[in-house]
Amino acid sequence: MELTTVRILGAGAIGLAVASQMTASDITPQFLCDAKRKERYRSKVFFVNNEPLTIQPILPEEVEETADLIIVCVKHAHLEDALSQLEGSVGPNTVIVSLMNGIDSEATIGKRYGIEKVVHAFIVEIDAVKEGDVLYFTNPGVVVMGDISGKETPIVKRAQELMSQAQIAFKVTDTIEKQMWWKFMINVGVNQTSAVLGAPYRVFQTNKYAQDIMNDAMQEVILISQKMGIGLDSSDLKRWYDVLNNLGPDKKTSMLQDVEAGRKTEVEMFAGTICALGEKHDVPTPANVMLYNMIKAYETMHGIA
């Protein structure tokens, strides 16, 4: 399958990092957006690791052909509204890859555009920090993808072909559901704790007390996953530390960046989800209750809706 059109929904850190990988290919990705963002993007030059990156914005009504590959990387709270921007871009052979945080964006996208077009995926080993129009990263990240069935399905094969042509780093797993929960565990632990402490990765690489808070939150995810038959265990904690220790010490999680920029966080999707699942499966979640309350208190105090 020859790749001709890639569209990205979301021009945050992940969207720009993926687009920067594609500069090595012959494909220029288009960024789906609304009219207000289009005007803003047209007047901007983004910088990724000090290299200029001009993005090509496109409105849904300007789309003349469907996309071969669509990458979705918006914030969780914005997904439902943003999905309307995919109208006209999704065709019979379109592959949709969601690189959003959490474990349910694929179902939401699939409900609207067909789950058969959606590849389960996430991005890991990325330490991108976006400040205004400038993005820095030590590691650009790797997309991990696969089919829930554990088999190499036709859509996963198509996704591999398209990602290869776009020169986006990826790997395929036959345990994608467990791996997505592993990434979810990481976000629940380090994203939320970093937001509360105002701490970059170096704190979690070296500070026992910060690690203990993070570990407690992640352990609750592990226990819930075991009740649900997904089966994370203590080895998954160790695997996270192997990744953590290779991230840029001064880089920051996306949730800490949201807090510093005065944006609404994804705490509902992280601690909110874990607290609800803990209640459902009779697993105590005191660490996530604490993190939820602290982050919600901060948002309330600062009028962040």
Side-chain angles (χ1 to χ4, degrees):
M1 182 176 184
E2 183 177 357
L3 177 65
T4 58
T5 307
V6 178
R7 297 199 176 109
I8 300 176
L9 184 61
I14 300 300
L16 293 178
V18 169
S20 72
Q21 288 192 43
M22 292 180 61
T23 58
S25 73
D26 295 328
I27 304 297
T28 300
Q30 298 173 324
F31 280 78
L32 288 157
C33 59
D34 56 26
K36 184 177 179 181
R37 283 188 173 87
K38 181 178 179 180
E39 286 305 309
R40 192 161 74 240
Y41 294 161
R42 287 177 67 180
S43 64
K44 281 187 177 183
V45 176
F46 291 93
F47 286 87
V48 179
N49 288 351
N50 296 319
E51 293 294 326
L53 177 69
T54 302
I55 70 173
Q56 182 180 341
I58 185 170
L59 302 177
E61 56 267 32
E62 295 173 333
V63 167
E64 296 181 351
E65 60 181 358
T66 58
D68 301 308
L69 175 65
I70 295 174
I71 298 171
V72 180
C73 40
V74 297
K75 292 290 185 180
H76 187 266
H78 302 154
L79 179 59
E80 289 283 1
D81 290 339
L83 282 181
S84 62
Q85 294 173 10
L86 297 187
E87 294 288 349
S89 288
V90 182
N93 296 314
T94 300
V95 174
I96 304 174
V97 177
S98 172
L99 300 182
M100 292 174 55
N101 288 327
I103 50 177
D104 61 0
S105 63
E106 286 83 2
T108 302
I109 298 167
K111 185 176 180 180
R112 183 152 181 177
Y113 291 106
I115 195 64
E116 72 282 357
K117 298 181 178 68
V118 183
V119 176
H120 286 72
F122 63 92
I123 190 165
V124 72
E125 299 177 31
I126 183 169
D127 55 9
V129 174
K130 183 172 179 286
E131 296 175 349
D133 304 337
V134 179
L135 180 74
Y136 293 102
F137 55 73
T138 306
N139 299 297
V142 177
V143 174
V144 181
M145 59 186 182
D147 192 85
I148 289 291
S149 69
K151 299 176 181 178
E152 190 178 38
T153 58
I155 191 167
V156 172
K157 290 180 180 178
R158 288 208 307 275
Q160 290 181 67
E161 294 171 6
L162 298 176
M163 301 280 273
S164 293
Q165 292 177 57
Q167 299 198 28
I168 299 170
F170 73 90
K171 57 185 176 183
V172 177
T173 177
D174 58 4
T175 58
I176 188 61
E177 184 175 29
K178 181 177 180 180
Q179 301 311 316
M180 289 176 69
W181 267 78
W182 175 70
K183 175 65 184 299
F184 184 53
M185 175 198 77
I186 293 168
N187 286 334
V188 166
V190 72
N191 274 30
Q192 297 188 124
T193 308
S194 70
V196 168
L197 297 178
Y201 287 118
R202 76 164 62 253
V203 173
F204 299 95
Q205 292 167 341
T206 60
N207 188 302
K208 174 190 181 301
Y209 303 103
Q211 291 173 352
D212 285 347
I213 300 169
M214 176 179 68
N215 291 347
D216 286 348
M218 292 194 294
Q219 187 61 38
E220 291 171 5
V221 180
I222 290 173
L223 293 174
I224 290 169
S225 80
Q226 291 172 349
K227 283 287 188 80
M228 294 178 64
I230 294 161
L232 296 176
D233 58 35
S234 58
S235 68
D236 293 300
L237 273 177
K238 181 183 181 304
R239 187 155 64 100
W240 158 233
Y241 276 91
D242 292 339
V243 173
L244 171 63
N245 291 328
N246 286 306
L247 297 178
D250 295 318
K251 299 298 190 292
K252 304 171 184 178
T253 68
S254 59
M255 186 176 278
L256 176 54
Q257 293 177 62
D258 288 340
V259 168
E260 292 181 342
R263 295 188 295 260
K264 184 175 176 61
T265 73
E266 294 183 303
V267 67
E268 298 286 356
M269 189 258 292
F270 293 148
T273 297
I274 287 303
C275 292
L277 288 173
E279 186 173 346
K280 179 179 179 180
H281 295 283
D282 197 27
V283 176
T285 57
N288 276 283
V289 169
M290 177 195 68
L291 290 167
Y292 180 88
N293 288 336
M294 292 183 74
I295 295 168
K296 292 298 289 185
Y298 179 89
E299 290 183 342
T300 304
M301 288 165 55
H302 291 83
I304 301 171

